[in-house]
Amino acid sequence: MKRVAIAVSLVAVLALASAALAVVKLAGTYQTTITGTALGGALKGTWTIKFKAKGHHYTVTDAGKVVTQGNYKVKGKDITFHDQTGPLACPGAGKYSFHLSGTTLTFTMIKDSPKCPGRQAVLAGTFTKRG
């Protein structure tokens, strides 16, 4: 019985450590440039997303101007965005898988509101870690 309790505790600790590493791994500032005609060209420019590990907070900027801020939750390789403020804040949560390889970060949409085409278009880009 003691071994089972120890095994269960170990699994719980490893799961928490894995989630914590994913958050720490994402912490930083990432940048992408949109050159296409998505949303009639309204998204052209340099987009930045900054992830803070503490508080699971993110900020998105377009050409240095804050366009949305919110909280995120990481579970394994999935991230859920909850925009809270900003002129481009989406009304619902967006769930994406992410892949971080070196300094390159990409997202693949799992589920997002059709009311959020801007978020979907920006997150379709390839981001490079800047800090």
Side-chain angles (χ1 to χ4, degrees), residues 61-83:
T61 61
D62 174 18
K65 180 180 176 188
V66 174
V67 294
T68 189
Q69 296 182 17
N71 291 316
Y72 67 95
K73 181 178 180 181
V74 172
K75 185 173 183 181
K77 288 291 185 175
D78 294 345
I79 184 168
T80 302
F81 295 94
H82 296 276
D83 294 355

Side-chain angles (χ1 to χ4, degrees), residues 58-111:
Y58 65 89
T59 301
V60 178
T61 61
D62 174 18
K65 180 180 176 188
V66 174
V67 294
T68 189
Q69 296 182 17
N71 291 316
Y72 67 95
K73 181 178 180 181
V74 172
K75 185 173 183 181
K77 288 291 185 175
D78 294 345
I79 184 168
T80 302
F81 295 94
H82 296 276
D83 294 355
Q84 293 180 330
T85 62
L88 299 184
C90 286
K95 185 174 182 179
Y96 292 75
S97 63
F98 69 91
H99 179 73
L100 180 60
S101 178
T103 60
T104 302
L105 175 63
T106 56
F107 297 95
T108 302
M109 184 176 70
I110 296 171
K111 183 178 179 184

Side-chain angles (χ1 to χ4, degrees), residues 23-31 48-53 57-59 72 105 128-131:
V23 171
V24 170
K25 195 178 197 183
L26 273 180
T29 302
Y30 300 85
Q31 189 174 65
T48 303
I49 184 166
K50 182 177 184 179
F51 293 101
K52 292 184 181 178
H57 185 77
Y58 65 89
T59 301
Y72 67 95
L105 175 63
T128 304
K129 190 165 189 178
R130 299 291 183 210

